[in-house]
């Protein structure tokens, strides 16, 4: 179930950033500094990589998931507060709980060598 929640969360992220890219264009977050624009655009590729890595390089998937969520929450929170961007801040309503889920379950997932060994338990 834990991996399913990861896949759903990063799947929603992928869809959200795909919609933004379709509507705003590639590197379309022009309202923000370029480094944030690049980060948010990169999530279109990084989020689905987490899902695929669960099947290819299990531990890398967990590590990448944690790193993405740390940066996603910190960047969205800092930009949302400084720019008083209500849309960015509203997104944190789901990002923070999902990030906490990732942070609190990562150690448990690391206790298994692969997705197959996790599923065997």
């Amino acid at each position: 179930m834990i991996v399913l929640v990861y896949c759903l969360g990063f799947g929603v992220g992928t869809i959200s950033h795909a919609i933004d890219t379709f509507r705003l264009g590639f590197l379309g977050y022009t309202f923000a500094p370029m480094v944030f624009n690049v980060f948010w655009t990169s999530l279109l590729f990084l989020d689905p990589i987490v899902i695929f890595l669960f099947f290819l390089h299990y531990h890398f998937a967990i590590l990448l998931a944690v790193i993405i969520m740390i940066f996603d929450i910190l960047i969205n929170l800092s930009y949302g507060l400084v720019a008083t961007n209500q849309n960015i801040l509203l997104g944190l309503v789901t990002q923070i709980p999902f990030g906490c889920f990732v942070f609190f379950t990562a150690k448990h997932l690391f206790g298994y060598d692969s997705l197959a060994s996790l599923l065997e338990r």
Side-chain angles (χ1 to χ4, degrees):
M1 283 304 267
I2 294 172
V3 174
L4 179 61
V5 173
Y6 274 60
C7 291
L8 289 172
F10 286 100
V12 167
T14 301
I15 292 167
S16 296
H17 290 285
I19 291 169
D20 286 350
T21 300
F22 178 76
R23 290 176 53 213
L24 304 172
F26 190 74
L27 293 174
Y29 304 100
T30 56
F31 55 86
M34 183 56 102
V35 67
F36 291 173
N37 189 346
V38 169
F39 174 74
W40 289 324
T41 301
S42 74
L43 292 176
L44 175 62
F45 306 102
L46 293 174
D47 284 351
I49 287 173
V50 170
I51 297 168
F52 290 115
L53 284 177
F54 268 110
F55 301 99
L56 302 173
H57 296 287
Y58 175 77
H59 287 122
F60 290 137
I62 301 162
L63 183 60
L64 183 58
V66 169
I67 291 168
I68 287 172
M69 291 314 301
I70 288 170
F71 281 103
D72 205 9
I73 291 169
L74 288 176
I75 288 171
N76 290 353
L77 184 59
S78 63
Y79 180 77
L81 290 174
V82 169
T84 60
N85 186 310
Q86 298 300 318
N87 290 333
I88 298 286
L89 292 172
L90 186 59
L92 290 166
V93 170
T94 55
Q95 287 172 344
I96 290 174
F98 178 64
C100 289
F101 179 82
V102 169
F103 304 147
F104 289 123
T105 58
K107 183 177 179 183
H108 172 74
L109 292 179
F110 255 104
Y112 297 91
D113 292 328
S114 66
L115 183 58
S117 67
L118 173 68
L119 295 173
E120 288 174 0
R121 67 165 178 99

